[in-house]
Amino acid sequence: MIRANDPGLKSWVPVPENSDFPIQNLPLGVIKVNDEHHVATRIGDYVLDLAVLNRSGLLGVDFVQRVFESEYINDCIALGKGMMRDLRNKISRLLDTNHSELASDEDLRNRCLLPVKSVEICMPVKVGNYTDFYSSKEHATNVGTMFRDPENALLPNWKHIPIGYHGRASSIVLSGVSVKRPKGQLKGKDDPAPVFGPTKQLDFELEMAFVTCKSNPLGSTININEAEEYIFGMVIFNDWSARDIQSWEYVPLGPFLAKNFASSISAWVVSLDALKPFRVDGPVQDPTPLPYLKFTGSHNYDIQLEVYLDSPMFIPQRIVHSNHKYLYWNMCQQLTHHASNGCNIEVGDMYASGTISGPIKDSFGSMLELTWRGSDPIKMPDGSERKFIEDRDTIIMRAFAQNNDVRIGFGEVTTQILPAD
Ligand code: CA
């Protein structure tokens, strides 16, 4: 077992009950203090500044200071999964009630352990490349039924290929950043010609994304048994979508401007190491995938996913309860497939899962599915209805894994929608 995963560990830092960030989590993120960006971890309602901590010498001699005095975690995670496991174990030890090196050093403690509310939380990753998969069978079936043909909802390639497309890295934004309603070409089925205007069908997509910490040279591939060495951890990912723009533009090359105006992520990258106690088997894959996609072990995760809709008119309403374990294609298969033609994976790439829908209506991960393209609106407490997302609405996504011993969470992604110009 990884030492930092020991469910018996307790920290001298107070951790509220049901916090997403107990001592067993220790995700990586970036904070801004005194105009400087530092890599940090989170425990309870505090952040631990790793640049200040490393300068003190308490992390030992293994880590060069510059990886922590950085605007992003990229250089830090590029040290590799082994070093990141070592770092997490060392931080865990310093925060453990049974160890006093940091706890008893009041001056250092006051400089590196800061209330989360007192610092600016920043974008954790410099995203080089972003790919979005389409790995939930339930979601692909729902969309295929609505957009194409209920009889052949799942296209013939779907159970053979982890389908995906190249998205846009530059418009990935942090939780808390508002998103302006995009404009685009809209054409209803019976309209003679398209018009240009604000989307009337703005939607969220409930996804998780993984961040890579290792690269492969262009022209080489990644063996599925080694794929996990490339995956540092995960964030919550809201892949904003404009359904009316999408349905007019997506043939023949797939998603474009309906998807690339914004995607929102959570601030703390939770390591696959910390999520290890929550590994579960995924759905049975039938037909058997081609040999390069055959894996051993369990690579799905029992992570509960929630979406809340908040508005100035009512308190947040939970509208989705799904789970990461529903994904048909797992992350190792996605990454191996991505590099199977020799495409080079880079450190800091982001690979989103695709909307994660479950088998029942309450687990559908988009408004498109929840309201069946607007035909069955959701009723809100103030008497209003939602077919899609309205101006001033706020979408909050949460994700956490929980068993009897420990809760490893991701915090949240909160995004308010502002009117189009
Ligand atoms: Ca998506």
Side-chain angles (χ1 to χ4, degrees), residues 89-146:
N89 281 334
K90 282 183 168 141
I91 298 167
S92 164
R93 192 185 155 95
L94 290 170
L95 294 173
D96 181 343
T97 41
N98 298 317
H99 294 273
S100 62
E101 300 99 303
L102 178 57
S104 63
D105 188 337
E106 192 184 344
D107 172 58
L108 175 61
R109 214 179 58 213
N110 288 339
R111 283 186 294 122
C112 69
L113 190 67
L114 310 165
V116 67
K117 287 203 168 113
S118 72
V119 299
E120 186 185 336
I121 308 294
C122 304
M123 183 77 182
V125 182
K126 172 75 181 166
V127 183
N129 303 281
Y130 155 49
T131 294
D132 193 20
F133 284 94
Y134 193 52
S135 289
S136 153
K137 192 172 102 184
E138 289 80 1
H139 173 69
T141 304
N142 287 339
V143 173
T145 302
M146 277 181 272

Side-chain angles (χ1 to χ4, degrees), residues 132 165 205 207 239 259 354-355:
D132 193 20
Y165 72 95
E205 290 194 327
E207 310 194 15
D239 186 24
K259 301 276 192 171
T355 307

Side-chain angles (χ1 to χ4, degrees), residues 23-56:
I23 189 172
Q24 289 83 0
N25 190 342
L26 303 179
L28 287 184
V30 171
I31 59 171
K32 194 172 172 188
V33 269
N34 304 326
D35 256 5
E36 280 181 31
H37 290 89
H38 289 173
V39 172
T41 188
R42 169 100 188 241
I43 179 158
D45 294 331
Y46 290 84
V47 296
L48 183 66
D49 184 330
L50 298 182
V52 174
L53 184 65
N54 190 54
R55 218 180 290 134
S56 76

Side-chain angles (χ1 to χ4, degrees), residues 2-227:
I2 299 166
R3 216 191 58 83
N5 284 3
D6 180 352
L9 290 175
K10 294 238 180 318
S11 177
W12 48 265
V13 180
V15 176
E17 207 184 328
N18 281 328
S19 170
D20 279 350
F21 305 104
I23 189 172
Q24 289 83 0
N25 190 342
L26 303 179
L28 287 184
V30 171
I31 59 171
K32 194 172 172 188
V33 269
N34 304 326
D35 256 5
E36 280 181 31
H37 290 89
H38 289 173
V39 172
T41 188
R42 169 100 188 241
I43 179 158
D45 294 331
Y46 290 84
V47 296
L48 183 66
D49 184 330
L50 298 182
V52 174
L53 184 65
N54 190 54
R55 218 180 290 134
S56 76
L58 281 187
L59 287 175
V61 295
D62 297 334
F63 297 96
V64 277
Q65 184 63 15
R66 70 164 177 83
V67 304
F68 300 120
E69 284 177 9
S70 179
E71 221 175 320
Y72 301 104
I73 68 168
N74 295 43
D75 288 348
C76 187
I77 62 175
L79 297 173
K81 296 246 308 201
M83 288 283 277
M84 288 303 96
R85 194 164 298 149
D86 183 38
L87 175 65
R88 186 163 157 268
N89 281 334
K90 282 183 168 141
I91 298 167
S92 164
R93 192 185 155 95
L94 290 170
L95 294 173
D96 181 343
T97 41
N98 298 317
H99 294 273
S100 62
E101 300 99 303
L102 178 57
S104 63
D105 188 337
E106 192 184 344
D107 172 58
L108 175 61
R109 214 179 58 213
N110 288 339
R111 283 186 294 122
C112 69
L113 190 67
L114 310 165
V116 67
K117 287 203 168 113
S118 72
V119 299
E120 186 185 336
I121 308 294
C122 304
M123 183 77 182
V125 182
K126 172 75 181 166
V127 183
N129 303 281
Y130 155 49
T131 294
D132 193 20
F133 284 94
Y134 193 52
S135 289
S136 153
K137 192 172 102 184
E138 289 80 1
H139 173 69
T141 304
N142 287 339
V143 173
T145 302
M146 277 181 272
F147 274 56
R148 283 193 323 275
D149 174 11
E151 300 302 311
N152 300 290
L154 224 47
L155 287 168
N157 58 5
W158 198 90
K159 285 186 169 179
H160 297 277
I161 302 177
I163 300 288
Y165 72 95
H166 287 303
R168 181 88 191 159
S170 67
S171 55
I172 298 177
V173 295
L174 189 60
S175 172
V177 175
S178 302
V179 168
K180 196 165 59 181
R181 179 176 297 274
K183 292 179 186 170
Q185 281 203 22
L186 317 168
K187 185 189 164 306
K189 221 170 71 187
D190 304 320
D191 297 345
V195 295
F196 186 82
T199 172
K200 294 187 181 79
Q201 298 185 344
L202 183 61
D203 201 356
F204 59 82
E205 290 194 327
L206 171 60
E207 310 194 15
M208 301 284 292
F210 65 86
V211 178
T212 43
C213 58
K214 187 174 173 175
S215 58
N216 63 305
L218 181 63
S220 71
T221 59
I222 296 174
N223 184 294
I224 194 153
N225 298 312
E226 284 153 26

Side-chain angles (χ1 to χ4, degrees), residues 162-310:
I163 300 288
Y165 72 95
H166 287 303
R168 181 88 191 159
S170 67
S171 55
I172 298 177
V173 295
L174 189 60
S175 172
V177 175
S178 302
V179 168
K180 196 165 59 181
R181 179 176 297 274
K183 292 179 186 170
Q185 281 203 22
L186 317 168
K187 185 189 164 306
K189 221 170 71 187
D190 304 320
D191 297 345
V195 295
F196 186 82
T199 172
K200 294 187 181 79
Q201 298 185 344
L202 183 61
D203 201 356
F204 59 82
E205 290 194 327
L206 171 60
E207 310 194 15
M208 301 284 292
F210 65 86
V211 178
T212 43
C213 58
K214 187 174 173 175
S215 58
N216 63 305
L218 181 63
S220 71
T221 59
I222 296 174
N223 184 294
I224 194 153
N225 298 312
E226 284 153 26
E228 223 161 63
E229 283 305 301
Y230 291 76
I231 304 172
F232 170 68
M234 280 195 266
V235 292
I236 309 169
F237 195 96
N238 182 352
D239 186 24
W240 291 102
S241 301
R243 300 304 180 190
D244 38 9
I245 299 173
Q246 183 181 356
S247 56
W248 170 232
E249 77 170 4
Y250 89 104
V251 177
L253 285 186
F256 186 31
L257 304 186
K259 301 276 192 171
N260 72 358
F261 58 95
S263 302
S264 306
I265 65 164
S266 52
W268 299 98
V269 186
V270 176
S271 66
L272 286 200
D273 276 1
L275 291 165
K276 210 168 177 191
F278 300 96
R279 284 171 185 253
V280 290
D281 288 338
V284 173
Q285 297 183 329
D286 181 23
T288 307
L290 286 169
Y292 77 102
L293 292 174
K294 267 192 183 167
F295 62 95
T296 54
S298 304
H299 295 283
N300 279 47
Y301 292 84
D302 183 4
I303 302 170
Q304 300 196 48
L305 309 172
E306 298 178 323
V307 181
Y308 292 79
L309 197 160
D310 189 15

